Amino acid sequence: MNPRIPRVNQLLHKEIAEILLQELDLPEGVLATVTRVDASGNLQEAKVYISVMPEARNEEVMLGLGKEIFGIQQALNKRLRMRPVPRIRWSVETKTSQA
């Protein structure tokens, strides 16, 4: 495994969490957290795991993230000096995927 991947995962986690906190308007009473990021070996793509509370609102939050993906990706591209900046793919963090 590329030794750069864990550092890239950590950087993406930090930056995406900040972007979501600053730029995303979540529905009232919903908390969404970036739990982890898994970048592909070639750094073309990064799977971003999101935990939503309450879990019953997962679909609503994921739809909202899907609609905002372009703006979030653009903000990430501006913040990072690395190339390529991995394309974001959202995924719901489930109890079984945390293992």
Side-chain angles (χ1 to χ4, degrees), residues 17-74:
E18 283 183 17
I19 291 168
L20 294 183
L21 185 64
Q22 295 168 358
E23 299 182 20
L24 191 67
D25 290 328
L26 291 172
E28 186 73 28
V30 173
L31 175 66
T33 306
V34 177
T35 57
R36 61 191 167 111
V37 176
D38 289 330
S40 63
N42 61 7
L43 297 177
Q44 293 295 313
E45 192 171 87
K47 198 169 194 180
V48 180
Y49 290 87
I50 305 290
S51 174
V52 178
M53 299 296 268
E55 283 186 32
R57 312 265 314 258
N58 273 345
E59 190 174 328
E60 178 183 358
V61 171
M62 295 309 281
L63 283 171
L65 287 172
K67 289 178 184 173
E68 298 294 330
I69 189 106
F70 181 76
I72 293 167
Q73 186 76 56
Q74 291 298 99

Side-chain angles (χ1 to χ4, degrees), residues 2 14 21 38 52 54 70 78-79 96 98:
N2 185 340
K14 176 184 173 286
L21 185 64
D38 289 330
V52 178
F70 181 76
K78 287 179 187 168
R79 286 173 175 238
T96 55
Q98 291 175 358

